[in-house]
Amino acid sequence: STEVDLTPVEAGQAITVMWRGAPVFIRHRTTEEIMEARKVDVAELRDPQTDEERVKKEQWLVMVGICTHLGCVPLGQKPSDVKGEYGGWFCPCHGSHYDTSGRIRKGPAPKNLVVPEYEFTTDTTVRIG
Ligand code: FES
């Protein structure tokens, strides 16, 4: 498992940490991003999951950063990155768009970005795995 100190990560920022050889995306979501994720009609989603099911603390989204289509690493972590039509992540390989909860919204990917096992060991420390 990997422990990550989230103290330096401000709202609107994201970091990538490596866990078991895979990138894990951690985004400190803004209030707007959380609201966007929660106003979606879950019944319309390809892989129906509420935002609440995908997070332990609403401001922190933790996911394996591997596109569920063919395994590329989507863009959206850097401020300058394209984030796709739903403001989350965009996989340019074949054009998969993920929303601010990491759910697949458009393009060929069949599933939402995977949420790994993790827990908060303090208010600002997360242990992945
Ligand atoms: Fe992401 Fe194909 S690998 S869209």
Side-chain angles (χ1 to χ4, degrees):
S1 60
T2 302
E3 288 232 345
V4 187
D5 175 17
L6 300 175
T7 317
V9 188
E10 288 171 20
Q13 291 185 331
I15 56 167
T16 303
V17 298
M18 292 305 287
W19 174 66
R20 295 187 187 164
V24 171
F25 293 171
I26 304 176
R27 190 186 279 190
H28 188 171
R29 300 190 299 180
T30 62
T31 308
E32 291 74 30
E33 288 171 335
I34 297 165
M35 274 167 41
E36 278 298 309
R38 298 199 166 186
K39 75 179 189 200
V40 173
D41 179 0
V42 174
E44 288 176 7
L45 297 175
R46 183 177 305 167
D47 181 9
Q49 264 188 326
T50 63
D51 183 61
E52 288 86 343
E53 288 174 75
R54 294 180 52 78
V55 293
K56 292 187 197 280
K57 287 180 188 277
E58 63 178 20
Q59 70 271 41
W60 295 108
L61 180 63
V62 180
M63 312 178 297
V64 177
I66 294 181
C67 182
T68 61
H69 179 226
L70 294 176
C72 296
V73 177
L75 298 173
Q77 288 293 91
K78 296 198 198 96
S80 57
D81 277 356
V82 184
K83 292 185 169 59
E85 288 178 25
Y86 296 87
W89 289 263
F90 175 65
C91 187
C93 308
H94 315 88
S96 285
H97 299 249
Y98 295 91
D99 68 14
T100 59
S101 190
R103 294 171 299 199
I104 182 65
R105 301 295 295 276
K106 184 176 177 184
K111 293 281 189 187
N112 302 334
L113 294 175
V114 170
V115 176
E117 289 282 309
Y118 71 91
E119 63 180 345
F120 281 89
T121 52
T122 72
D123 235 25
T124 51
T125 309
V126 67
R127 185 198 298 135
I128 303 162

